[in-house]
Amino acid sequence: MDDPGKLKIATANPQQGITETESPSDEHLETIQKFLERLETLTLMTASVSINSGDRKPCPRCQERSFPSRSGTLKWREIEDGAHNLQCPICQLLFDWLPVEKLPTLRQEPELPNTIRAVLKIGRLDPYMGNVISVGCQYDDRTTGSDCAFQIAAAWMTTCVKEHNNCVVELPVLPTRVLDVGPLDSSQNPRLCYGGDFKALYFTLSYRWNQDRASDYQTTTSNLEAYHTSIPLSTLPQIMQDAILITRKFGVRYLWIDALCIIQDSEGDWQAEAKEMTRIYHNSTLTISAAADPTKENKGIFRPRSRLHTRPFNVKSPWPDGTAKYVFADRRFTNDGARPRTVLDTRAWILQEQLLSPRVLSYSNEELYWDCLSVNASESFPGGIPRFYDADLKLDDLRFFKDAVLGASDHLPSHTRFYESWKKVVETYSEREMTKETDKVAALLGVAQAASILFEDDFLVGLWRKELWRDLLWWVKKPETAARPTNFAAPSWSWASIIASVSYELRGDDSARGIKQCVEVLHAEVESDQTLPVLHGKLILRGRLVDLKFQGSKRVSTTNLPSWKEDMRATDSSKVMCLILGFSSHYVYAIGLIAKEGVEGVYTRAGRVEWTRSPVQFGWDKEQHKWAVDTPLATVSMI
């Protein structure tokens, strides 16, 4: 699709949760056309200096083996010689296959059996990407900030803009403040500017920064006016300087960085902008993800490559249909077929940025990774990462959630599937760290706002109103390390009230939809502004309240004792009462409560309880599908 007039333009309707398609304006077409022209310059590398006059060819040893039709045994010294002295791309792929830490041991081995079969794979690339690889192989590519790296990033963006039906190109209204990075030639310093109603393409930066440590570069009320005139580039951290360079290289004028675009000493500004995260990241043309682990020597985005040949190699031996045949390195041994987890993935705020961004360009330790609503790619697999490298079921749920909230499909997802994916978002989020305890809910609020449109539901400090009784079934994985926040407070019934990794997993083969409800939710209320450091909330429920040691009509045995999952270690179990929420074919589920001293009928949550028993033994009437008339019920208020 070469005509930008055919581009799909989306207008999101947050009230209805609908994405409508309309004809692009002349301004929009002109902006996209200029963007594509800049991308073409990067992919053709017309401004770069070539280091090779011709294509690199396999060494005689690889050619003798009629690669890739045979497997065989190669001597490790021969591979090193082919990679370093003969400049053989196949030997280089083999040499780079193993992690660096294994090389000293491997050099002591005389042979590397079945090398070709084990670590080199054969495949195809579409003609456009094949041409990109052919051009790029003539240039220096020793760092992730090389012209070659920019070339493949521009190629991914070009394909996304021109070919991906799921990836809508927007010309959005800018955020409240953005960084004007200046022209491509770097002749001007960046400066802050107000977005207002101005429409333009802009990038966002996803990175780790220490909010506890005040830094001179952060925007404050004292330097805000000066920053609207100029921000000396040298005063910014290297990671921001690199992000500015990337934005300029792509020909985009605006960049959003939280430390610069939010006034850091203004609580009011922070609360206002925290509520805008959905719009900021969702409307971003590209999110630059600084995913490389920081080192003492390098705290920027770019990294030197330890591999000298990352991309697939054209063996000049085409397939029977005439298409080019490529050799790809197997990345299972280096554990980076898909983007490897880094310190960036331990941060709570980053999850929201990853889930709300329609396009993410990740600069990892060894190579670049691309993630949009249509394809996940890497420099090792520029046409798309093979599915088996990215088979983590939790990642599947996160990707499903992201596709749903960003509208990657023409059809609305099923409520059940979307709800299950949300629970995986919560579990993943709870595992991550944050500098400020007060961000516990705020750092997920943008994702919650996006989900609320599809759920058509109210977000109640981490839980959903229509799913409230099910959402109460979370439990703490490691109560021995759990703690209550000191600078933040949430209702005890919310997982946000505790610093701990939580789970929604049920017993056996039980699923949330297979649990029958036996508690009534009478009332639920929370703070309307969920960015506040203290979030009050109250639930009023009516149901069966029993002692933790309750045995009902069945004799005590080791098989029907309750399974007690306390929220925090050393809870006094003698004070725990259990409010039964639901049951399955084999289990009864409840939450443990402790009465608040001096206030009758008011409780705080203390954990989750399960019995391997029938609900009938607690007074449930299976025929009437309700509590028996002689079963005592209680109305409890949870805070």
Side-chain angles (χ1 to χ4, degrees):
M1 183 175 65
D2 295 324
D3 181 6
K6 297 179 181 179
L7 292 172
K8 293 195 305 179
I9 309 302
T11 302
N13 185 333
Q15 278 70 44
Q16 299 179 8
I18 299 172
T19 298
E20 301 170 346
T21 302
E22 60 182 30
S23 299
S25 65
D26 291 342
E27 176 192 14
H28 196 156
L29 289 176
E30 182 180 356
T31 299
I32 298 301
Q33 185 59 47
K34 288 181 178 179
F35 186 46
L36 289 173
E37 289 171 359
R38 177 56 192 165
L39 294 176
E40 183 178 21
T41 300
L42 290 175
T43 54
L44 295 178
M45 304 187 76
T46 54
S48 303
V49 178
S50 173
I51 61 170
N52 290 329
S53 57
D55 293 336
R56 297 169 64 187
K57 298 179 179 180
C59 67
R61 285 186 289 265
C62 288
Q63 291 177 344
E64 286 174 8
R65 288 172 173 78
S66 302
F67 185 83
S69 60
R70 299 179 187 174
S71 61
T73 299
L74 295 176
K75 297 184 185 301
W76 182 248
R77 292 294 182 184
E78 292 178 346
I79 295 174
E80 281 195 297
D81 177 59
H84 296 162
N85 298 325
L86 303 180
Q87 299 294 300
C88 171
I90 295 175
C91 286
Q92 189 65 60
L93 284 173
L94 291 169
F95 185 83
D96 290 339
W97 158 65
L98 287 171
V100 175
E101 61 269 16
K102 291 188 178 182
L103 294 181
T105 302
L106 193 59
R107 288 190 177 103
Q108 300 174 12
E109 300 293 333
E111 296 180 342
L112 185 62
N114 297 320
T115 299
I116 294 176
R117 178 179 295 173
V119 301
L120 297 180
K121 307 299 179 184
I122 314 304
R124 305 171 187 260
L125 288 174
D126 67 75
Y128 173 72
M129 192 58 71
N131 183 62
V132 168
I133 298 299
S134 176
V135 171
C137 71
Q138 304 175 52
Y139 296 85
D140 180 25
D141 192 25
R142 286 174 289 185
T143 77
T144 57
S146 67
D147 286 350
C148 218
F150 277 104
Q151 181 217 25
I152 200 164
W156 286 327
M157 177 65 84
T158 299
T159 302
C160 185
V161 170
K162 298 175 70 173
E163 303 293 341
H164 293 168
N165 291 329
N166 291 337
C167 300
V168 176
V169 184
E170 304 210 31
L171 187 65
V173 173
L174 291 175
T176 305
R177 296 178 204 87
V178 286
L179 197 65
D180 180 348
V181 300
L184 181 63
D185 62 7
S186 305
S187 59
Q188 298 175 15
N189 275 329
R191 67 180 184 89
L192 271 184
C193 64
Y194 289 109
D197 295 326
F198 185 66
K199 292 184 177 182
L201 303 180
Y202 69 92
F203 286 2
T204 47
L205 175 63
S206 179
Y207 69 115
R208 183 190 183 194
W209 66 292
N210 191 342
Q211 294 170 298
D212 268 353
R213 185 180 303 169
S215 301
D216 292 340
Y217 67 82
Q218 296 176 11
T219 297
T220 62
T221 51
S222 62
N223 63 18
L224 180 62
E225 184 176 351
Y227 271 19
H228 277 90
T229 301
S230 175
I231 305 175
L233 191 63
S234 61
T235 64
L236 297 177
Q238 189 61 48
I239 202 167
M240 295 184 185
Q241 294 185 42
D242 291 345
I244 290 169
L245 172 62
I246 294 168
T247 307
R248 286 172 172 172
K249 279 271 197 177
F250 273 85
V252 172
R253 188 79 185 214
Y254 303 104
L255 173 65
W256 190 89
I257 303 176
D258 51 6
L260 298 177
C261 298
I262 300 176
I263 304 173
Q264 297 301 310
D265 59 351
S266 170
E267 190 67 25
D269 192 64
W270 185 90
Q271 290 179 0
E273 293 304 300
K275 297 172 185 176
E276 293 293 315
M277 291 301 156
T278 304
R279 184 175 72 89
I280 290 171
Y281 282 95
H282 178 267
N283 289 345
S284 171
T285 307
L286 177 71
T287 292
I288 303 164
S289 176
D293 288 322
T295 65
K296 186 177 181 180
E297 298 79 18
N298 191 337
K299 292 180 171 56
I301 291 178
F302 308 127
R303 292 291 182 274
R305 303 183 193 267
S306 63
R307 299 172 188 156
L308 297 182
H309 198 95
T310 301
R311 304 180 183 188
F313 173 70
N314 186 340
V315 296
K316 307 298 184 183
S317 174
W319 295 99
D321 62 3
T323 58
K325 184 182 293 183
Y326 289 87
V327 181
F328 300 79
D330 191 328
R331 292 295 178 215
R332 282 175 290 185
F333 291 90
T334 52
N335 295 316
D336 57 356
R339 184 177 75 77
R341 282 180 56 85
T342 65
V343 68
L344 191 71
D345 301 294
T346 66
R347 309 303 297 175
W349 276 101
I350 301 301
L351 179 63
Q352 174 166 262
E353 296 162 8
Q354 293 167 337
L355 292 175
L356 294 176
S357 300
R359 301 174 190 85
V360 180
L361 176 63
S362 296
Y363 286 79
S364 196
N365 294 318
E366 282 289 345
E367 57 183 293
L368 274 61
Y369 294 82
W370 174 268
D371 179 17
C372 68
L373 298 179
S374 300
V375 68
N376 299 310
S378 67
E379 290 182 272
S380 292
F381 304 103
I385 297 171
R387 183 69 185 86
F388 59 80
Y389 284 112
D390 200 10
D392 187 305
L393 294 179
K394 182 178 287 188
L395 291 179
D396 272 352
D397 285 312
L398 296 182
R399 187 164 292 121
F400 177 89
F401 181 89
K402 177 174 181 173
D403 288 348
V405 297
L406 294 183
S409 171
D410 293 333
H411 307 288
L412 290 175
S414 75
H415 180 89
T416 299
R417 180 74 175 86
F418 187 58
Y419 176 62
E420 290 301 312
S421 69
W422 162 261
K423 291 192 293 186
K424 296 302 179 184
V425 170
V426 171
E427 291 175 357
T428 303
Y429 179 76
S430 71
E431 296 169 354
R432 299 196 175 197
E433 303 168 358
M434 59 181 61
T435 305
K436 293 183 177 180
E437 293 177 343
T438 52
D439 293 349
K440 184 71 173 182
V441 174
L444 196 63
L445 200 55
V447 171
Q449 289 170 343
S452 68
I453 297 173
L454 290 177
F455 273 137
E456 296 182 334
D457 202 354
D458 300 325
F459 185 67
L460 307 177
V461 196
L463 284 64
W464 296 99
R465 186 181 296 277
K466 293 178 183 178
E467 299 285 349
L468 199 50
W469 71 272
R470 286 191 181 93
D471 277 357
L472 290 170
L473 288 170
W474 59 269
W475 54 278
V476 174
K477 291 182 178 179
K478 294 182 178 180
E480 64 274 13
T481 60
R484 298 290 181 189
T486 56
N487 299 311
F488 171 76
S492 67
W493 43 263
S494 168
W495 50 262
S497 67
I498 195 165
I499 302 173
S501 176
V502 304
S503 173
Y504 279 100
E505 186 177 347
L506 299 172
R507 291 285 295 275
D509 295 328
D510 283 355
S511 65
R513 293 297 155 183
I515 306 298
K516 303 295 190 296
Q517 181 179 358
C518 56
V519 68
E520 185 181 2
V521 180
L522 301 177
H523 180 72
E525 64 180 59
V526 297
E527 297 279 359
S528 59
D529 185 352
Q530 297 185 51
T531 64
L532 298 174
V534 178
L535 298 175
H536 298 289
K538 180 171 68 174
L539 302 182
I540 301 177
L541 305 105
R542 183 167 177 78
R544 183 75 164 109
L545 190 66
V546 300
D547 185 274
L548 180 60
K549 298 178 181 179
F550 179 83
Q551 292 302 320
S553 60
K554 193 169 184 178
R555 291 178 56 191
V556 178
S557 73
T558 56
T559 60
N560 58 40
L561 289 174
S563 171
W564 169 230
K565 293 181 169 68
E566 58 188 352
D567 289 346
M568 294 181 64
R569 183 55 53 88
T571 301
D572 186 350
S573 60
S574 66
K575 296 181 178 180
V576 174
M577 299 295 292
C578 305
L579 181 66
I580 298 175
L581 301 181
F583 62 89
S584 66
S585 300
H586 303 287
Y587 305 101
V588 174
Y589 295 92
I591 50 173
L593 306 175
I594 294 180
K596 187 172 179 60
E597 292 185 14
V599 187
E600 185 177 355
V602 178
Y603 296 82
T604 57
R605 179 191 153 116
R608 194 177 90 177
V609 190
E610 303 146 6
W611 288 271
T612 309
R613 301 174 65 175
S614 166
V616 174
Q617 296 165 21
F618 294 86
W620 183 258
D621 188 330
K622 276 194 171 182
E623 292 184 358
Q624 297 297 321
H625 305 291
K626 63 181 182 179
W627 292 111
V629 292
D630 58 347
T631 300
L633 302 181
T635 300
V636 302
S637 179
M638 293 176 60
I639 58 174

